Amino acid sequence: MASIPKYYEGKNVLITGGTGFMGKVLLEKLLRSCPKVKAVYVLVRQKAGQAPEARIEEMVICKLFDRLREEQPDFKEKIIAVSSDLTQLELDLSKEDQEKLADCIQIVFHCAATVRFNESLKDAVQLNVLATQKLLALAHRMKHLEIFLHVSTAYANCNRKLIEEVVYPPPVDHKKLIDALEWMDDKLINEITPKLIGERPNTYTYTKALAEHVVQQECGNLNVVIIRPSIVGASWKEPFPGWIDNFNGPSGIFIAAGKGILRTMRASNNAVADLVPVDVVVNHTLAAAWYSGVHRYTRPRNVLVYNCTTGGVNPFHWGEVGTENIFTIYLHYILGNKRCGSAEHA
């Protein structure tokens, strides 16, 4: 069986969400650990008048890519920015780009999503559900596609006490919901959103559950994997410890508490703070695609689902924040658990 670097050798890879937190780490890790990968195509939209190529050029200047830059000075030549907008018809890809991707892509990593908890239902469906549907349609045209990997979230099914590695029935028929959102005005959508999402806390988890169902229903004969990370935090080891590019979620809490700005927080002491380092999630992602790819002719044709979490193996509770030094908590409980890094050698 081919090793992970050997499997990616000579492959053309497509990444969505490549300018996001996890997407950047995935791009860096793939290029650094699989140096013979042929090319990585990154779907990027124009933003604030900045062309996709300029956005990629600006992104790779950051410290995250320093180690890769030292080991492979010409790594940027393998990154190909493709102008795209996932919310538009046919992903806003030119006919030329559509044909190019259909002819050469062998692996797809679909990382793009809106992770805002307060996103309107209409926008969340557009970005998390419809974009996935459009990308699957493009994937069906890819002549040499070996694996389509969809990044979901462990909280897509947070209304369940036990979440197994299966795709659960959707909260609603996504086709009917999409049709309804077409004619409803924003005021009506906002009014019915709480009833629609039910036990789920926000539109993010609701639409990610719908997206999983879309993947299952519309993948056809594609070789598909779903990865479900929990709360993705700063890096454990790669490319160096502690890298993060945002203050979202628990990172902001730890920083504020460490600086003495945050003194109290309302939370359940017994609730699990299920944090996973971003490099562990990325290693898991690359390894899952590798495994599914090398076994694509022999494995069952059902969608493979992997929960990437620490809660059941090494639970850390929010109540412990008040009794431990913040740095010690993150270092020992979150980064120091080698059991959660089973894919670290991807």
Side-chain angles (χ1 to χ4, degrees):
M1 185 165 60
S3 66
I4 293 178
K6 186 68 177 176
Y7 173 70
Y8 285 99
E9 184 177 322
K11 297 286 199 301
N12 288 304
V13 179
L14 176 67
I15 297 178
T16 71
T19 58
F21 173 48
M22 181 175 161
K24 291 176 190 174
V25 182
L26 176 64
L27 177 62
E28 190 276 340
K29 173 68 175 182
L30 176 61
L31 290 171
R32 177 168 50 81
S33 296
C34 306
K36 292 186 179 181
V37 65
K38 186 173 182 180
V40 183
Y41 292 77
V42 184
L43 298 191
V44 188
R45 66 184 174 91
Q46 185 170 320
K47 186 177 182 181
Q50 193 175 31
E53 293 81 4
R55 291 188 64 194
I56 292 293
E57 189 69 29
E58 184 179 277
M59 180 184 75
V60 298
I61 293 172
C62 81
K63 188 175 177 61
L64 172 70
F65 293 88
D66 283 354
R67 181 175 168 186
L68 174 61
R69 201 172 356 261
E70 291 176 6
E71 296 177 9
Q72 301 176 48
D74 300 326
F75 77 93
K76 287 189 290 184
E77 295 178 4
K78 292 185 177 181
I79 305 174
I80 302 172
V82 181
S83 181
S84 174
D85 186 336
L86 301 187
T87 66
Q88 300 302 309
L89 183 67
E90 295 185 333
L91 306 174
D92 204 29
L93 290 167
S94 68
K95 294 298 181 183
E96 182 181 350
D97 285 337
Q98 288 183 44
E99 292 303 319
K100 175 66 174 176
L101 297 175
D103 286 340
C104 76
I105 295 300
Q106 289 144 305
I107 301 167
V108 173
F109 291 108
H110 180 35
C111 305
T114 174
V115 297
R116 295 189 181 95
F117 292 167
N118 60 347
E119 193 79 82
S120 72
L121 180 60
K122 192 168 189 176
D123 288 343
V125 167
Q126 185 75 250
L127 289 160
N128 292 345
V129 183
L130 286 172
T132 301
Q133 191 176 46
K134 294 170 191 172
L135 190 64
L136 279 166
L138 177 63
H140 279 289
R141 295 172 53 191
M142 294 176 178
K143 300 169 186 176
H144 308 290
L145 187 67
E146 296 181 10
I147 178 69
F148 182 100
L149 188 142
H150 172 72
V151 179
S152 184
T153 171
Y155 298 100
N157 301 285
C158 59
N159 57 317
R160 295 175 175 270
K161 285 191 174 293
L162 175 64
I163 302 169
E164 298 184 277
E165 292 179 324
V166 298
V167 178
Y168 290 99
V172 68
D173 185 321
H174 70 275
K175 294 179 181 178
K176 291 181 179 179
L177 177 62
I178 291 167
D179 290 341
L181 293 178
E182 286 292 324
W183 60 264
M184 289 184 186
D185 60 32
D186 292 343
K187 182 179 179 181
L188 179 56
I189 293 172
N190 291 336
E191 287 178 355
I192 67 170
T193 294
K195 293 182 179 178
L196 280 174
I197 65 176
E199 295 179 338
R200 288 180 173 82
N202 48 55
T203 57
Y204 168 64
T205 57
Y206 181 77
T207 53
K208 292 299 278 185
L210 288 175
E212 286 192 2
H213 183 67
V214 167
V215 170
Q216 183 188 55
Q217 292 298 303
E218 303 193 15
C219 67
N221 62 351
L222 298 180
N223 188 12
V224 173
V225 171
I226 294 175
I227 295 287
R228 290 184 185 143
S230 51
I231 304 170
V232 184
S235 60
W236 175 21
K237 291 182 177 180
E238 298 182 274
F240 55 87
W243 185 82
I244 196 165
D245 69 348
N246 62 78
F247 296 139
N248 297 336
S251 299
I253 293 173
F254 290 144
I255 291 168
K259 286 187 169 290
I261 299 170
L262 180 66
R263 302 299 182 91
T264 61
M265 181 177 73
R266 184 175 181 180
S268 170
N269 286 337
N270 297 321
V272 174
D274 204 320
L275 300 164
V276 184
V278 63
D279 49 333
V280 171
V281 178
V282 163
N283 288 339
H284 192 165
T285 299
L286 289 170
W290 158 77
Y291 180 84
S292 190
V294 296
H295 294 289
R296 61 188 180 279
Y297 298 120
T298 57
R299 79 168 185 83
R301 300 311 301 175
N302 59 304
V303 175
L304 290 179
V305 181
Y306 295 95
N307 293 336
C308 184
T309 66
T310 63
V313 176
N314 187 44
F316 163 62
H317 303 91
W318 283 113
E320 296 173 74
V321 172
T323 59
E324 297 275 354
N325 173 274
I326 293 296
F327 177 76
T328 302
I329 287 172
Y330 200 66
L331 185 67
H332 178 69
Y333 287 94
I334 309 306
L335 306 186
N337 176 25
K338 294 183 179 179
R339 287 173 295 179
C340 77
S342 57
E344 68 177 281
H345 300 297

